[in-house]
Amino acid sequence: MNLHEYQARALLKAVGIPMFEGDVASTPTEAEAIARRIGGTVVIKAQVHAGGRGKAGGVKLARNPSEAADEAAKILGMTIKGLTVHRVLVVPAAEIATESYVGLIMDRETQRPVYMVSSAGGVDIEEVAAKTPEKIVRLPVDPTSGLFPHQALRLAFVLYRDFAQVKAAAKIMEQLYEAFVSNGASLAEINPLVTTPDGRVLALDAKIVIDDNELFWRPDLGVLRDDSAEEPSEAAARRANLSFIKLDGNVGCVVNGAGLAMATMDLVKYYGGEPANFLDIGGSSSPEKVINALKIITADPHVKAILFNIFGGITRTDDVANGIVAATRQFKVDVPIVIRLTGTNEVEAIRILEGVGMRALSDMDQAVQQVVQLARAAA
Amino acid sequence: MSIFVDRSTRLIVQGITGREGSFHSRQMLEYGTALVAGVTPGKGGQTFEGKVPVFNTVEEAVRTTGANASVIYVPPMAAGAAVVEAADAGVPLIVCITEGIPVMHMSRAMPFVRGRGVRLIGPNCPGLIAPGVRAKVGIIPGNICTPGRVGMVSRSGTLTYEVVNHLTRAGIGQSTCVGIGGDPIIGTNFIDCLRAFQEDPETDAIVVIGEIGGTDEQNAAACVKAEITKPVVGFIAGQTAPKGRRMGHAGAIISGSSGTAEEKLAAFEAAGIAIMRRPVDVVEQLRKHL
């Protein structure tokens, strides 16, 4: 789960990381009040889950409170990469001496949190990593013992010469590690970490991604989710416990298992079709999940045909069959449905479907070819 | 023969009294797995299905029954601790089926598991099955498998079933099918399985089923090139996946240039792995190379 910048700032502030003061506003009046409190020139930043906010006109300078209101009015409600801006962050336009990068990521390769720091901050860190990897210092942290003081110091010495600044940065390294662990993050980033002309070290921008698996037992983090920052059909799917991603094609896909779902999309493409979505109904099935899946897929007007591809293991194919029958009774499905199912309780599933005049195929290739043809005929 | 499990495998089920644990324990018993004990804290002294003793701790279960493998079905928040408990009891093979374990829990468990020198398969995996010795540890349906000489290793669940099903229907049996799991942090990886299949005298060819995200398939390809003399057939799921999106598995994240299907397929091809464009192609590719 991605957090907005203002939410990430709050988590970093909670562990004591120094930052310029600033606050979030959802109206121009609120933005004006914050700008007045801060005093001087401020920056108004759109809070959306999209990169390139500046280029899209979502980051503006305002020299006084009334300008802050004007700029906020322009940014609030604007669309950046398909996402509507509902909030802006107002922070001072402070003078900056240096910019560095500090990131902490859960690394698959070493299976532990890895610190990455670079004095080449403020720019695209991926570009630095690609072109001049020697400018990024990496340090894996043993999660059982945590970040040792000497490791924090070593990271800080990569960034600064002045010992007062080194000590300040080392403290921030320890605090960021604490925020990473205590919030179950898979990424925590300060970019840039800045120094001011008078020598202070502060976090200017923050990005935090929370491991979705933590949310189950951390309702305090779950409330930070911003539904309006997601594709509406994807938010609906998540609430129905379905793993769903909307795509641009016209063949709707309902599959059990992420690997099989991806292989199904690939096969649709292989036979000349375009998948409309990725949808994994998960392991344990229930007729209700199937109903929700069909609701979400049929809401997309581009979908011309729907494919069910179910390989029963834990998933009982009769549950899926019951779900299909129940859904088609609850609401009208205007597009043709091709059903492929095999595995656990398939005899029962076929009987259920035949009872309402539906057919089930047992072969994946045959089913995909059929649904691609139907979608093409309807397009 | 088989890898990781054989006729001497004596299995514990952690979470045997739970909904998933009890369902799959019955299936494992039915298949013929030597399921010798269950563990559920607080339910020690009970018996499962009238024949499998239930213990409070893994240590007690191992001491009493001489078990040498454990499969974990406990809920996500307790599963990382269950892995550590099994490792602490010295269980040499631990298979964790549980999906949804916080990555930090696994990150903390792994140094301990490695320190004990035990093998962990998973988490978030379907487990493994060796049809020739009737050993099923996990949730792979037994009825779609048949004994034979093809080794299979996969990051997926149901996609593995799809490919195994094609093999079985074509009369090509399997020595062992291993699902290594789709999480960012897993115990046993492709390379561990490739090496074990290479050493297994009763495996003649290997099928590798990968997916987008991470670099495990690229590492596997490098291993095949350097060490594996048996024919290898490979598949990558997610060729049509949009970049930067998570597709169910935490593992299936494409970030930057490392992790796309094209990159993985190119690595496979460069290593001499025969590419399956569709799951059904596994049959033709194996016949060509066997």
Side-chain angles (χ1 to χ4, degrees):
Chain A
M1 180 179 74
N2 289 320
L3 298 188
H4 286 301
E5 181 187 357
Y6 76 93
Q7 296 170 322
R9 274 174 58 99
L11 295 183
L12 296 192
K13 200 172 177 184
V15 293
I17 292 178
M19 276 175 293
F20 293 109
E21 71 168 312
D23 212 341
V24 68
S26 48
T27 65
T29 319
E30 282 172 22
E32 186 178 358
I34 297 165
R36 181 165 297 118
R37 203 169 70 225
I38 292 171
T41 304
V42 294
V43 188
I44 315 282
K45 301 169 91 176
Q47 299 293 288
V48 281
H49 296 313
R53 288 177 299 178
K55 279 183 195 148
V59 180
K60 295 281 185 197
L61 279 174
R63 283 168 301 182
N64 53 55
S66 87
E67 263 189 40
D70 291 346
E71 294 298 345
K74 281 183 217 156
I75 295 173
L76 286 164
M78 82 189 299
T79 308
I80 300 177
K81 292 186 183 164
L83 299 165
T84 308
V85 181
H86 297 289
R87 290 177 201 84
V88 291
L89 179 67
V90 185
V91 286
E95 229 184 297
I96 283 156
T98 67
E99 301 192 2
S100 306
Y101 172 85
V102 176
L104 189 50
I105 188 164
M106 185 55 87
D107 176 48
R108 317 168 57 114
E109 202 78 28
T110 56
Q111 305 196 324
R112 51 187 64 188
V114 172
Y115 247 115
M116 291 180 295
V117 301
S118 176
S119 52
V123 284
D124 188 352
I125 195 65
E126 278 158 22
E127 204 179 303
V128 176
K131 289 185 182 155
T132 48
E134 71 279 0
K135 284 190 178 166
I136 298 179
V137 173
R138 291 160 184 269
L139 179 90
V141 181
D142 184 336
T144 52
S145 46
L147 185 74
F148 290 113
H150 74 275
Q151 293 176 316
L153 261 182
R154 192 193 140 199
L155 293 169
F157 271 116
V158 173
L159 304 182
Y160 306 118
R161 295 266 162 84
D162 177 86
F163 194 54
Q165 289 184 338
V166 168
K167 280 194 289 186
K171 187 163 184 204
I172 291 171
M173 300 295 171
E174 291 182 358
Q175 289 165 325
L176 186 66
Y177 187 78
E178 186 193 333
F180 182 87
V181 172
S182 64
N183 292 301
S186 45
L187 172 80
E189 205 174 66
I190 299 173
N191 188 26
L193 180 72
V194 302
T195 55
T196 57
D198 60 357
R200 288 179 297 152
V201 182
L202 303 105
L204 195 65
D205 197 343
K207 183 179 161 91
I208 291 181
V209 180
I210 306 285
D211 174 4
D212 285 345
N213 290 346
E214 296 275 353
L215 300 176
F216 177 77
W217 70 328
R218 291 290 301 271
D220 58 318
L221 295 172
V223 298
L224 298 177
R225 187 188 294 281
D226 178 6
D227 271 3
S228 71
E230 287 176 279
E231 167 72 32
S233 56
E234 291 179 10
R238 191 173 35 67
R239 284 191 293 268
N241 261 324
L242 300 166
S243 181
F244 173 86
I245 292 174
K246 193 184 168 330
L247 303 169
D248 297 330
N250 60 10
V251 178
C253 301
V254 184
V255 189
N256 67 321
L260 188 61
M262 287 192 283
T264 304
M265 288 161 47
D266 294 348
L267 205 61
V268 166
K269 188 109 177 175
Y270 180 90
Y271 286 115
E274 287 290 338
N277 65 279
F278 163 92
L279 194 154
D280 171 14
I281 60 168
S284 50
S285 53
S286 71
E288 207 191 336
K289 271 195 176 177
V290 177
I291 295 170
N292 286 327
L294 264 178
K295 268 186 196 156
I296 288 159
I297 287 180
T298 52
D300 179 353
H302 298 112
V303 171
K304 298 296 177 216
I306 298 169
L307 170 68
F308 275 81
N309 184 16
I310 307 296
F311 202 117
I314 319 179
T315 306
R316 290 171 39 177
T317 57
D318 56 329
D319 274 347
V320 176
N322 276 323
I324 297 170
V325 172
T328 50
R329 279 195 188 129
Q330 256 184 44
F331 55 93
K332 196 164 177 296
V333 180
D334 291 325
V335 296
I337 302 177
V338 176
I339 304 160
R340 181 273 176 136
L341 44 83
T342 189
T344 313
N345 295 2
E346 65 180 30
V347 176
E348 177 66 7
I350 291 165
R351 198 191 57 74
I352 291 164
L353 291 170
E354 282 176 350
V356 295
M358 291 175 130
R359 276 189 60 214
L361 301 170
S362 64
D363 184 80
M364 176 167 162
D365 285 73
Q366 201 189 343
V368 171
Q369 281 172 287
Q370 203 176 96
V371 79
V372 168
Q373 263 174 24
L374 286 168
R376 193 175 294 150
Chain B
M1 257 289 281
S2 50
I3 64 168
F4 306 150
V5 289
D6 57 30
R7 287 188 202 282
S8 71
T9 298
R10 293 169 63 77
L11 184 69
I12 293 171
V13 175
Q14 289 173 255
I16 196 166
T17 55
R19 197 170 60 95
E20 301 281 328
S22 57
F23 177 79
H24 292 290
S25 292
R26 260 175 239 122
Q27 304 233 320
M28 288 188 284
L29 281 169
E30 228 169 79
Y31 191 72
T33 310
L35 172 47
V36 298
V39 173
T40 300
K43 298 204 173 164
Q46 298 183 3
T47 54
F48 176 77
E49 296 282 287
K51 53 187 159 185
V52 180
V54 178
F55 298 90
N56 285 319
T57 66
V58 176
E59 186 274 328
E60 193 187 357
V62 169
R63 184 158 37 83
T64 314
T65 66
N68 55 15
S70 183
V71 60
I72 295 170
Y73 293 96
V74 310
M77 292 313 137
V83 168
V84 169
E85 183 189 358
D88 198 22
V91 178
L93 175 70
I94 304 164
V95 179
C96 186
I97 307 300
T98 309
E99 178 181 359
I101 304 175
V103 183
M104 183 56 80
H105 292 195
M106 286 315 299
S107 180
R108 286 196 173 127
M110 284 315 296
F112 187 85
V113 169
R114 297 206 188 283
R116 294 290 160 131
V118 299
R119 173 173 302 287
L120 170 68
I121 296 177
N124 189 13
C125 79
L128 69 164
I129 189 164
V133 296
R134 302 300 286 180
K136 164 179 150 114
V137 180
I139 63 176
I140 299 176
N143 61 341
I144 58 169
C145 302
T146 194
R149 305 182 64 88
V150 170
M152 209 167 128
V153 55
S154 169
R155 248 161 91 178
S156 314
T158 47
L159 177 57
T160 314
Y161 311 165
E162 177 72 31
V163 176
V164 172
N165 199 38
H166 284 301
L167 290 179
T168 296
R169 284 199 300 192
I172 302 172
Q174 308 91 39
S175 58
T176 313
C177 302
V178 188
I180 59 172
D183 271 8
I185 294 182
I186 55 173
T188 296
N189 59 25
F190 282 122
I191 293 176
D192 301 322
C193 297
L194 285 166
R195 286 180 179 152
F197 280 131
Q198 173 71 20
E199 279 168 27
D200 176 24
E202 294 182 21
T203 295
D204 294 339
I206 307 164
V207 178
V208 178
I209 311 288
E211 58 186 46
I212 51 171
T215 51
D216 288 6
E217 288 79 0
Q218 293 89 316
N219 298 342
C223 168
V224 167
K225 199 170 185 179
E227 302 173 32
I228 309 297
T229 57
K230 296 177 181 179
V232 182
V233 173
F235 182 79
I236 300 289
Q239 295 167 44
T240 51
K243 289 189 182 189
R245 297 304 307 264
R246 177 173 160 148
M247 299 237 142
H249 286 174
I253 299 170
I254 317 184
S255 44
S257 62
S258 66
T260 63
E262 298 79 55
E263 194 181 339
K264 291 180 184 223
L265 287 168
F268 273 13
E269 262 167 351
I273 297 173
I275 307 288
M276 306 151 52
R277 291 285 159 191
R278 305 170 295 169
V280 66
D281 293 340
V282 71
V283 172
E284 193 195 318
Q285 289 293 353
L286 277 175
R287 287 212 172 116
K288 219 186 278 177
H289 293 93
L290 269 173

